[in-house]
Amino acid sequence: MNDRPHTAGRPATWRGVALAIVILLVAATVAATWQARQQIRAAQDSRLAYEATRIDDALEQRMRAYSQVLLGGFALFRGSKAVTLDEWVAYVAALNLSERYPGVKSLSFAPAVPADRLDAFVADVRRTPVPPEFPDPKVFTEFTPRSPTGTPSSPPVHSPILYVAPTTPENVRVIGVDMMQDPTRRAAMEKAASTNRTTLTPKLRLAGEVDESAGFIVYLAVKRKGELLGWLTAAFRAEEFMGGLLGDALPPIDFDIKDDAGKLLYSTAGVYADGAPRPLPDSDGRPSLTRAQNLSGYPWTVRYVASTTFATTADKVTPWATAIAGGVVTLLVLAVTLTGAGWRREALRLASQTEALQKSEAAVRHLATHDPLTGLPNRMLFLERLESALQSTEPTAGFTLAYVDIDGFKAVNDTYGHRAGDELLQAIAGRLLSRVRDTDTVARIGGDEFAILIVDDKSGSDVADVAGDIGNDVVARLGEPYALEAIGDGTTVSIGASVGMALYPYDGSVGDDLVHAADSAMLRAKRSGRGRAALAGSEQLPSSL
């Protein structure tokens, strides 16, 4: 009699336990999927911030380089009692603007003319002989100051453009444009005169333009013994100024630039038929961030948005793989609960499936933190290990962070195809791994970019010596020829490497500073001729590089 209730209770007890396990598995699956999404989003945010910093630096470096052009003109005027039109045209021609400074529409000089001397100045310009090779002498013989916007005004000081180069027809048309008659231009010119620095305007429609292309102007006041002679001006088309900002490598993010008034100056979405910049589409939940840039004294707002191709295959697959793995185990447990038979045998099977789930989750974690092509750690895992090194390394010790950019990879990939490109990346990964110890980290952080983290207990000049050996050895190893099976005819290919290295704690005490220092050093190595290594600017340390 007492056996009946006891026997009947076993299935009920098992069903309750199994149901509880199912609930726990569902909760664990949801939590694991959420955690995977959070980790992926954090890695994407970090990658977006890295790419944004590269663009920020490139913008700043380009503006600084272009400002040097005006400083050269400044020296020309300061060093001469009078600069002629021929001398200005020759100076600009020597700069080779179209090749070395893309986006510069024109360089010009506009003298400062008090209002009570304007008529006499105009008469002098009309009487001055025009060089015979000048394309349109009428702009001088019929010289007439006019407003760049078509709305005349009477400022106390005028500044009609007198010299312009290159002397293309559209540039020659701006001779006589009195920039002080436009309040926007005048504000920038007065700031340049008061600060003695290059000053940037907001978005403008450049004089002489026939469409709605966005432009801007940089001014530099020219003074001699405290007297204002005038202004040197560089007029830029924004679309062309941004062209080739990062060389041949297109960043995996989109961005747009607005001036201080919120007017769109540039967008990677391109331009409309009339030349006006096209706004970026909505981000649709993709990672984005906004930063302020101060260029030549004027604030720009840059909005960065991950492109539609920003997410990697691992980013897309990992959450689904986690959810599916958890779902499969949950369904198996549910099936056992519904059948109510062979519960001991099924319990053992459940334990086996739980172990399989743990292995599956480990595989998913590996997929989320490693590059599927080379098997190296990806950017997310690399940054985690960098942070771990920062936490565990004593201040008296140090470690080396190296950024490696492959020179010539695109040419191999384009010439021999993606199979050869993939095989080359795998070979590069192998050579980098052969250079380091098991305790060090080699990661693939971009298409043809790698990073190396070498933890060492040396300090001072020893760290610099270690970094020098690493950089030079990496350049040498990666520069040796590669025989790729994908090519198949015995042809070997050669590439190079530009390496930038940062030292902890000399180049930074936090991860972002070290990454920025290594990346800047790598860019300096590329600008110095590629195929070389450069050490970040640690004045305390000697460098043999």
Side-chain angles (χ1 to χ4, degrees), residues 132-261:
E133 66 276 8
F134 196 80
D136 187 5
K138 285 185 177 181
V139 297
F140 292 110
T141 59
E142 301 176 4
F143 185 83
T144 303
R146 60 194 184 278
S147 169
T149 62
T151 303
S153 64
S154 301
V157 176
H158 294 261
S159 63
I161 294 176
L162 184 61
Y163 299 160
V164 68
T167 54
T168 62
E170 63 178 346
N171 283 343
V172 169
R173 285 198 297 267
V174 306
I175 291 178
V177 169
D178 185 358
M179 294 178 288
M180 289 292 277
Q181 292 194 41
D182 171 34
T184 301
R185 290 169 169 84
R186 182 167 66 245
M189 296 168 77
E190 290 173 346
K191 183 176 181 180
S194 64
T195 62
N196 295 319
R197 296 178 180 272
T198 53
T199 303
L200 196 71
T201 68
K203 175 186 176 182
L204 294 172
R205 186 174 185 271
L206 299 176
E209 291 285 16
V210 296
D211 60 13
E212 297 300 319
S213 297
F216 59 93
I217 299 174
V218 178
Y219 291 103
L220 179 63
V222 180
K223 298 179 181 179
R224 185 184 293 130
K225 295 181 179 179
E227 179 187 357
L228 178 63
L229 302 182
W231 288 268
L232 296 175
T233 75
F236 295 90
R237 293 187 179 99
E239 183 74 18
E240 295 176 9
F241 173 80
M242 299 298 299
L245 186 67
L246 297 175
D248 296 333
L250 295 177
I253 62 176
D254 298 317
F255 64 98
D256 62 23
I257 300 174
K258 294 181 179 179
D259 66 11
D260 195 32

Side-chain angles (χ1 to χ4, degrees), residues 199-368:
T199 303
L200 196 71
T201 68
K203 175 186 176 182
L204 294 172
R205 186 174 185 271
L206 299 176
E209 291 285 16
V210 296
D211 60 13
E212 297 300 319
S213 297
F216 59 93
I217 299 174
V218 178
Y219 291 103
L220 179 63
V222 180
K223 298 179 181 179
R224 185 184 293 130
K225 295 181 179 179
E227 179 187 357
L228 178 63
L229 302 182
W231 288 268
L232 296 175
T233 75
F236 295 90
R237 293 187 179 99
E239 183 74 18
E240 295 176 9
F241 173 80
M242 299 298 299
L245 186 67
L246 297 175
D248 296 333
L250 295 177
I253 62 176
D254 298 317
F255 64 98
D256 62 23
I257 300 174
K258 294 181 179 179
D259 66 11
D260 195 32
K263 295 179 181 178
L264 184 62
L265 188 66
Y266 171 80
S267 166
T268 53
V271 297
Y272 290 112
D274 64 357
R278 187 189 302 271
L280 286 181
D282 292 337
S283 62
D284 292 329
R286 297 190 302 274
S288 64
L289 63 89
T290 300
R291 289 180 174 176
Q293 274 272 39
N294 193 299
L295 299 176
S296 293
Y298 189 83
W300 281 358
T301 300
V302 189
R303 181 171 67 104
Y304 298 99
V305 180
S307 67
T308 54
T309 59
F310 184 78
T312 65
T313 301
D315 291 345
K316 299 173 183 177
V317 169
T318 299
W320 288 104
T322 303
I324 291 171
V328 167
V329 173
T330 302
L331 288 175
L332 288 173
V333 173
L334 183 61
V336 171
T337 302
L338 293 177
T339 57
W343 65 273
R344 294 184 181 274
R345 176 168 46 86
E346 296 301 336
L348 294 174
R349 185 182 300 178
L350 174 60
S352 176
Q353 293 294 338
T354 301
E355 182 181 357
L357 174 60
Q358 292 172 344
K359 292 180 180 180
S360 175
E361 289 178 342
V364 168
R365 283 194 298 271
H366 185 275
L367 182 63

